[in-house]
Amino acid sequence: MEQTSNHWFQQERSRIPFLLLLFFCHAMIPSRFCLSEDSRNDVKDLLAPRTYVIANGPEAAFQLQERLIDSIPGDIIQLEAGEYRFDSQLDVTCDNLTIRGRGPDKTILSFQGQDVGSEGLVATGDAFLIEDLAVEDSVGNAIKVLGSNGVIFRRVRTEWTNGPDADNGAYGIYPVQCKNVLIENCTAIAASDAGIYVGQSEDVIVRNCRVEWNVAGIEIENTLRADVHDNVATNNTGGILVFDLPGLQLTNGGHVRVFNNRIIKNNTKNFAHAGNMVAAVPQGSGLMIMATDHVEVFENEIADNQTFAISIVSFLITERPVKDPAFDPYPEGIWIHNNQILRGGNQPSGKFGTLLAPVIGIPFPQIFFDGIINVRKLVVGKMPEEFSLRLSDNGDITFANGNVSQLTPENVFFDKYHVDRDLTNYTGELKSLAAVKLSDFPAPPPNGNPAVEVYRQTPRLLSAWNLFAGDPRDQQPAEGIFRYDLNTPLFSDGTAKHRFIRLPSHKAMVFEPNSVFEFPVGTVIVKTFAMPHDQRTPEASQQLLETRIEELRDNGWYGYSYIWDEQQSDARLALGGGRREVKWLDETGKTVSNDYQIPNANQCITCHGQEGKFQPLGPTARNLNRSLIHSSMNQLAEWQSKGWLKDCPDIESLPSLPVYNEPSTGSLEQRARAWLDVNCAHCHNPVGSARTSGLDLSLFQKDPARYGVWKSPVATGRGSGGRKFDIVPGKPDESILIYRIESNEPGVRMPNLARNLTHTESIELIREWIASIEDNPTVEVE
């Protein structure tokens, strides 16, 4: 049944508060207040899948994000013809959700002027389908789908309407760490990295798409089993790339078929920011295979690409160090056959052009192999058949093996080329790869979307939680609620924070040495954000901005944000997030202001989502091991003495997280790593939302390559700032890490949500730490 958004709001708005009240009463009050049969039927009807039509208009952005938060499996969100405008990232967490427009040239989601978030749309639910719409001019990637099983992009267009530009978003269509991915009849235009990028995924089909004016048209990276066919790649820098890169969670991809594509005239100047891997792709590249094993290329038309029609190279040709022992940098088992390869090679460019032109002359060979092989696999001086390069039935082509002097991951530098044009040793066939078969969409979860039912029961006013005694502006905890403080807190645009915990009666937290404590069901964790009116006397008076609540129910944690009213008397539930214009006096007495961001419920998952589940972040043993502000008693000891904490070892034996700005609490390295752990590692860890980058900034990561030393970026786009590595030992100004935490620019700054301002004190700390790092250090952080 279809209905317009306005109709739904008019019809249901009056019913929902009543139903929410009844939900809440049913959960909290004796059975004589239970729902009637008719009311239960209304509730059941509200929790049934529907098609919701969001009409274009001034409230459409709010209505769409609200609907994304309130979606249940099976819902369809229908967007009408017209241009919808957004200034904030959209987030999808629901399984089995469809977002549908009226056509990629009719329904346009425009993010021009976006200032919140680093993507246009981000989806993390399984069985996600998006079709018949366009996403334009997002500040970062257009559409990112992370960790989903079952993804369909159908008749979707992503585009940066200003044409090729280094400041465009990195990726257009971007499924990463996904399974069972279908991208069909889509168009991607003017991405500063790849128009269609599939990374660290399994079982992928990209078909009948058009990619144009991107740096890379289609890129398949660190992916297992992909079919790329019947696409048109034209006017890109490189038409189709099949790459493996080091330092990622899915280390080595392979079994990729590229067939029946038209890869023509990919001669656009490379406009990627220096430092990104794709910035090394030569202008005029048709198909480029780097480091990936078992690739079959057949029945393509590859024509008029000015450097190479096809190049097969090792990652070592990039001359970037390899710090990942599991990474295989050599392309092996490559079969190129039955292609129509025409012209090209007449205007070679990039590093290849500079190095090779004096050796092999112009025009360049249509197929180029750098000749770098894993000599450890040679048998009697020859590469075994299954690891070899084979060419057959490609017509009258030109070929060259560069025979680059053997490089190793430990010895990365160019020596010289020894060009061999003889095809004899490469003529032959390999076993054909199997076609990719996609599984059916996973079935909807049997319990629907529990979060929606919880959200619909949640009190609309903060006062209903009975958290504070007296005037709420004083932030005095009510009976049964106690404060807590942290050694190193998250920086949140200079706000002060008031933190509290309420435990259920006669229940206690259970000590965990290296993670968040185990809390009893019914626990409520509270954090109020407030801006002092005068930073010179921050405790004198303050403006309450928002209070965030984390509540542990039987089926897990849930989070809610409440925005304080102008009278500072109460706060209202804001599942859709919000903004507050805040003014205050800084340390010099100057009036300053900030457009303070309050994340929506789905954006909270970006940071708090660990292994797909919402988790608190701050209350860990190390960060809690301290006395309360204005108190001499250790808060863990006090909690244990009052029966609020159990199984806690002797306090004197416990490690304590350093206070980032107090040198007496830890070494420079320890304080820097502590700050990164608190401010960055909630996403940059092996199960966080930024896990796909391979960058792990958690305190317990001991491998320098994993926390960024000499680590090449993967998907930074303009976020690289022209730098090549996350951390360059001794050189903060050449390190991407510093560039991103110093930036206020949307799409560059890190963290990318709930921050507009930079923090000079912490930046100076990280700068000093990077300047102190020696190459290849042995790092131990207690």
Side-chain angles (χ1 to χ4, degrees):
M1 178 180 70
E2 289 198 6
Q3 52 190 343
T4 67
S5 173
N6 289 335
H7 177 70
W8 186 88
F9 272 106
Q10 294 301 321
Q11 181 176 345
E12 306 289 13
R13 182 166 53 187
S14 61
R15 299 167 61 197
I16 288 177
F18 175 68
L19 291 171
L20 289 169
L21 177 62
L22 289 174
F23 263 131
F24 190 73
C25 291
H26 183 65
M28 303 295 181
I29 304 179
S31 59
R32 60 192 175 91
F33 288 94
C34 289
L35 294 170
S36 69
E37 185 66 30
D38 288 343
S39 295
R40 283 197 294 270
N41 288 335
D42 280 343
V43 171
K44 183 178 179 181
D45 182 56
L46 281 174
L47 295 175
R50 295 185 179 190
T51 294
Y52 296 95
V53 179
I54 307 293
N56 196 9
E59 298 299 317
F62 173 79
Q63 292 169 4
L64 177 56
Q65 185 59 75
E66 183 180 69
R67 174 51 44 208
L68 293 175
I69 292 168
D70 208 29
S71 291
I72 63 173
D75 275 357
I76 298 172
I77 299 176
Q78 176 70 62
L79 302 176
E80 299 290 59
E83 183 179 75
Y84 295 72
R85 300 193 69 86
F86 303 91
D87 57 14
S88 179
Q89 173 178 304
L90 296 170
D91 295 84
V92 179
T93 62
C94 181
D95 293 336
N96 297 81
L97 181 70
T98 295
I99 301 177
R100 178 179 294 155
R102 297 297 183 186
D105 295 319
K106 294 180 179 179
T107 301
I108 299 170
L109 280 60
S110 174
F111 290 83
Q112 194 168 64
Q114 176 185 0
D115 61 359
V116 176
S118 59
E119 333 275 349
L121 186 149
V122 180
T124 55
D126 290 340
F128 175 70
L129 191 159
I130 185 166
E131 62 184 5
D132 292 306
L133 54 77
V135 172
E136 294 182 352
D137 299 320
S138 57
V139 72
N141 309 307
I143 308 173
K144 178 179 179 179
V145 184
L146 171 63
S148 299
N149 182 10
V151 181
I152 295 178
F153 290 84
R154 182 180 288 130
R155 296 180 298 276
V156 170
R157 173 173 59 86
T158 61
E159 182 172 359
W160 285 267
T161 57
N162 58 324
D165 190 308
D167 288 336
N168 292 348
Y171 301 139
I173 294 172
Y174 178 22
V176 60
Q177 290 194 353
C178 295
K179 296 181 179 179
N180 297 301
V181 177
L182 173 62
I183 304 171
E184 64 177 358
N185 300 109
C186 293
T187 303
I189 299 172
S192 67
D193 196 307
I196 297 175
Y197 173 98
V198 182
Q200 302 179 65
S201 296
E202 299 180 43
D203 301 310
V204 174
I205 295 175
V206 181
R207 66 189 181 199
N208 300 313
C209 296
R210 184 179 184 90
V211 287
E212 191 165 7
W213 305 112
N214 309 280
V215 175
I218 298 171
E219 183 170 354
I220 307 298
E221 185 176 286
N222 291 66
T223 287
L224 287 168
R225 298 177 301 279
D227 277 356
V228 181
H229 66 92
D230 293 288
N231 304 288
V232 175
T234 187
N235 293 321
N236 307 284
T237 300
I240 298 178
L241 311 183
V242 183
F243 277 17
D244 275 2
L245 300 180
L248 303 180
Q249 289 184 318
L250 199 163
T251 304
N252 299 304
H255 296 271
V256 178
R257 301 195 309 162
V258 180
F259 60 98
N260 288 343
N261 301 285
R262 296 188 69 222
I263 308 171
I264 57 174
K265 297 181 180 178
N266 291 286
N267 302 313
T268 294
K269 183 179 179 181
N270 194 318
F271 57 95
H273 273 282
N276 291 293
M277 190 62 64
V278 76
V281 174
Q283 173 184 351
S285 296
L287 168 67
M288 189 172 184
I289 301 168
M290 184 171 73
T292 306
D293 292 349
H294 306 299
V295 180
E296 185 177 2
V297 179
F298 59 99
E299 297 179 359
N300 300 282
E301 178 190 348
I302 308 176
D304 299 312
N305 300 285
Q306 293 175 352
T307 299
F308 299 120
I310 301 175
S311 57
I312 308 101
V313 298
S314 164
F315 179 82
L316 303 179
I317 203 76
T318 68
E319 297 187 287
R320 296 188 183 220
V322 177
K323 302 289 186 179
D324 182 352
F327 177 63
D328 174 10
Y330 308 98
E332 296 170 338
I334 313 299
W335 186 21
I336 299 170
H337 64 96
N338 297 97
N339 298 283
Q340 184 182 21
I341 301 175
L342 303 173
R343 301 174 297 276
N346 56 316
Q347 295 181 38
S349 68
K351 180 184 251 185
F352 283 119
T354 301
L355 291 173
L356 285 176
V359 181
I360 62 177
I362 299 175
F364 268 20
Q366 292 164 320
I367 298 181
F368 174 77
F369 174 41
D370 67 5
I372 302 174
I373 61 173
N374 186 350
V375 295
R376 298 180 183 89
K377 290 186 177 179
L378 294 176
V379 177
V380 193
K382 291 186 177 181
M383 184 64 68
E385 189 76 9
E386 65 269 27
F387 301 131
S388 62
L389 168 65
R390 287 291 175 259
L391 311 172
S392 59
D393 299 315
N394 294 297
D396 186 17
I397 60 168
T398 55
F399 166 82
N401 176 359
N403 279 313
V404 178
S405 294
Q406 293 303 309
L407 307 178
T408 68
E410 299 79 26
N411 181 27
V412 180
F413 65 91
F414 284 110
D415 184 359
K416 61 180 67 175
Y417 291 97
H418 309 278
V419 177
D420 177 8
R421 301 177 186 273
D422 187 357
L423 272 170
T424 304
N425 291 331
Y426 303 97
T427 300
E429 300 179 356
L430 297 177
K431 182 179 179 181
S432 293
L433 299 177
V436 170
K437 295 182 179 180
L438 302 182
S439 301
D440 293 336
F441 264 15
N447 57 345
N449 185 355
V452 170
E453 188 169 351
V454 169
Y455 291 153
R456 293 177 182 179
Q457 297 177 45
T458 302
R460 265 34 194 173
L461 292 177
L462 183 65
S463 54
W465 290 88
N466 297 316
L467 300 172
F468 306 114
D471 190 334
R473 287 175 292 189
D474 297 331
Q475 289 290 289
Q476 293 300 315
E479 185 176 354
I481 298 174
F482 56 91
R483 294 183 183 273
Y484 72 96
D485 286 325
L486 301 176
N487 285 312
T488 288
L490 176 74
F491 172 73
S492 303
D493 281 0
T495 54
K497 297 173 187 176
H498 306 273
R499 303 176 179 88
F500 311 93
I501 295 174
R502 179 169 69 195
L503 297 173
S505 297
H506 309 297
K507 299 288 185 179
M509 303 172 279
V510 179
F511 180 87
E512 292 288 342
N514 297 320
S515 62
V516 172
F517 288 170
E518 181 182 330
F519 290 92
V521 171
T523 296
V524 176
I525 301 175
V526 182
K527 181 164 62 174
T528 295
F529 296 72
M531 180 58 72
H533 289 123
D534 191 335
Q535 292 285 4
R536 295 169 298 183
T537 55
E539 296 180 359
S541 63
Q542 58 189 352
Q543 178 184 356
L544 304 180
L545 302 175
E546 63 165 323
T547 294
R548 298 181 191 175
I549 289 178
E550 296 170 319
E551 179 190 21
L552 181 57
R553 297 193 170 211
D554 289 331
N555 59 347
W557 286 95
Y558 293 90
Y560 328 104
S561 289
Y562 288 81
I563 301 178
W564 285 88
D565 59 27
E566 293 295 334
Q567 294 74 33
Q568 304 279 274
S569 60
D570 209 341
R572 182 169 292 276
L573 182 66
L575 294 176
R579 298 174 184 236
R580 294 292 298 273
E581 181 67 26
V582 187
K583 294 183 179 181
W584 68 95
L585 298 177
D586 66 12
E587 292 82 353
T588 67
K590 178 183 176 182
T591 299
V592 291
S593 65
N594 180 32
D595 187 19
Y596 179 81
Q597 301 170 15
I598 299 164
N600 65 60
N602 284 355
Q603 286 174 336
C604 292
I605 301 296
T606 300
C607 295
H608 286 270
Q610 308 292 307
E611 295 185 307
K613 297 180 180 179
F614 188 100
Q615 293 287 339
L617 297 172
T620 63
R622 291 169 186 255
N623 216 0
L624 291 167
N625 187 13
R626 57 162 295 158
S627 60
L628 279 168
I629 296 173
H630 308 307
S631 171
S632 59
M633 186 173 185
N634 183 285
Q635 60 187 352
L636 296 182
E638 179 182 7
W639 298 349
Q640 185 166 241
S641 70
K642 293 183 176 181
W644 300 338
L645 176 64
K646 62 183 181 180
D647 298 344
C648 183
D650 177 60
I651 300 297
E652 297 298 325
S653 68
L654 295 180
S656 181
L657 192 71
V659 180
Y660 78 96
N661 59 350
E662 292 185 12
S664 63
T665 64
S667 68
L668 172 62
E669 179 184 344
Q670 289 169 334
R671 289 184 290 115
R673 294 291 307 277
W675 188 89
L676 292 171
D677 184 79
V678 169
N679 286 271
C680 307
H682 45 261
C683 294
H684 284 281
N685 70 72
V687 296
S689 62
R691 62 186 181 273
T692 58
S693 69
L695 181 65
D696 181 3
L697 293 173
S698 58
L699 187 72
F700 300 105
Q701 178 55 257
K702 306 297 185 182
D703 182 354
R706 294 290 181 183
Y707 62 69
V709 176
W710 293 119
K711 184 186 179 306
S712 297
V714 176
T716 55
R718 60 196 175 95
S720 71
R723 295 153 173 81
K724 291 185 176 182
F725 303 100
D726 291 336
I727 295 175
V728 178
K731 298 180 179 179
D733 286 323
E734 295 181 18
S735 301
I736 295 172
L737 184 65
I738 280 291
Y739 177 71
R740 302 199 77 167
I741 64 175
E742 282 185 337
S743 177
N744 279 335
E745 185 180 351
V748 175
R749 64 184 172 219
M750 284 290 173
N752 57 32
L753 291 173
R755 177 177 85 76
N756 286 333
L757 306 179
T758 55
H759 188 211
T760 302
E761 201 171 8
S762 56
I763 289 171
E764 290 175 350
L765 171 70
I766 304 303
R767 276 187 162 276
E768 186 179 357
W769 170 58
I770 293 177
S772 74
I773 296 176
E774 298 178 1
D775 200 3
N776 297 318
T778 300
V779 179
E780 292 293 336
V781 178
E782 294 300 328

